[in-house]
Amino acid sequence: MSLEFNIIDYKSPHAVVINSCGVILRNASQELLLFQDQLDLILTKLLDTGRNWPEAILRNEYGPEYFIQAYWNDEDDYDGEPVNAIKKFPKGSRYAVYIMDDFSHWNDKNPYLFPAIAYSKTEIQAWLLWSIKKLTAELDKDFKDIQELVEAHINIEESKTLMIKKLNGEQPWEFGPTRIHEPNFPLWHEMVKNPEMNAWIKKWLN
């Protein structure tokens, strides 16, 4: 994998969560004030697991929808037939990040090698922090209002330290692929050790 690691590389182990963050970033670059309202709503709904539906729905105007959910109560079926759904898990125990479009997470034709990944709450907080830091670097702006929104929900230094430890291989990722039948589960845990990919992700945390 080259250093020009692309967020639309569907074979990446973190592609779904990176592309989810990409939707946040694109919305921010287009209309900042609207983005601040959206970000406040995302952080509040997603990270408050006391809610009935702690989730974030990230809509891309000309692309797929991405979901981040802190619960999964059902295992899907399609026309009465079971599908390769996300495993059930209690609310707040992990966060499932997945894609929903014509090639949803259970569809074998989905271009993503890993279309549904589970992360811990602290890992999701770290990814959200990463997306904001990437945004500020790419647009070369100091978003103080946005930072205040983030600080209300995320400990910035702790999340940054955690992400760096994960990328350095000092701590393993807690979960990984979360579909019931995941043929590539061991592969995911091997691919997340890729030093070039991790260097690309880590550079936005500096």
Side-chain angles (χ1 to χ4, degrees):
M1 187 179 295
S2 70
L3 286 172
E4 288 75 33
F5 181 81
N6 199 308
I7 65 170
I8 59 170
D9 179 357
Y10 296 120
K11 305 307 178 187
S12 162
H14 296 301
V16 172
V17 71
I18 289 175
N19 286 356
S20 299
C21 291
V23 174
I24 298 174
L25 301 183
R26 281 190 293 275
N27 290 344
S29 64
Q30 292 167 5
E31 193 168 349
L32 186 58
L33 290 178
L34 177 61
F35 165 71
Q36 289 179 221
D37 290 339
Q38 290 177 336
L39 180 62
D40 192 21
L41 184 62
I42 287 170
L43 292 171
T44 300
K45 289 185 67 177
L46 180 62
L47 298 176
D48 180 4
T49 52
R51 290 172 170 263
N52 289 332
W53 309 104
E55 67 178 2
I57 303 173
L58 306 170
R59 291 186 169 90
N60 188 1
E61 185 177 358
Y62 299 108
E65 289 184 345
Y66 298 95
F67 288 73
I68 307 175
Q69 290 189 193
Y71 65 96
W72 199 268
N73 297 325
D74 300 310
E75 293 176 356
D76 299 337
D77 60 54
Y78 185 75
D79 291 339
E81 295 294 329
V83 297
N84 196 6
I86 293 169
K87 295 178 182 177
K88 293 180 182 179
F89 58 85
K91 184 168 64 174
S93 65
R94 66 191 66 185
Y95 284 76
V97 185
Y98 62 99
I99 181 175
M100 283 289 285
D101 68 349
D102 292 340
F103 296 107
S104 297
H105 64 274
W106 64 76
N107 192 321
D108 290 339
K109 295 181 180 179
N110 193 298
Y112 282 90
L113 183 59
F114 306 102
I117 305 296
Y119 296 95
S120 69
K121 182 173 184 177
T122 53
E123 289 170 351
I124 281 294
Q125 289 173 318
W127 277 115
L128 292 170
L129 173 66
W130 174 84
S131 70
I132 300 304
K133 286 188 169 292
K134 187 172 186 293
L135 171 70
T136 59
E138 289 189 338
L139 297 185
D140 194 25
K141 291 184 179 180
D142 181 14
F143 297 124
K144 291 183 179 179
D145 291 342
I146 291 175
Q147 182 164 326
E148 289 177 4
L149 285 178
V150 174
E151 287 177 339
H153 298 275
I154 298 171
N155 185 308
I156 290 178
E157 287 307 313
E158 285 184 5
S159 292
K160 179 180 175 180
T161 299
L162 176 72
M163 181 66 108
I164 290 173
K165 286 182 177 179
K166 301 279 183 180
L167 297 172
N168 286 344
E170 298 170 40
Q171 289 187 14
W173 296 93
E174 289 194 34
F175 299 109
T178 189
R179 295 186 298 175
I180 296 170
H181 305 292
E182 180 52 70
N184 297 313
F185 191 85
L187 178 62
W188 188 89
H189 286 277
E190 186 61 34
M191 290 180 67
V192 295
K193 300 174 185 176
N194 184 297
E196 294 183 0
M197 176 192 72
N198 289 337
W200 181 87
I201 297 171
K202 191 164 56 176
K203 73 178 182 179
W204 305 108
L205 295 170
N206 295 331

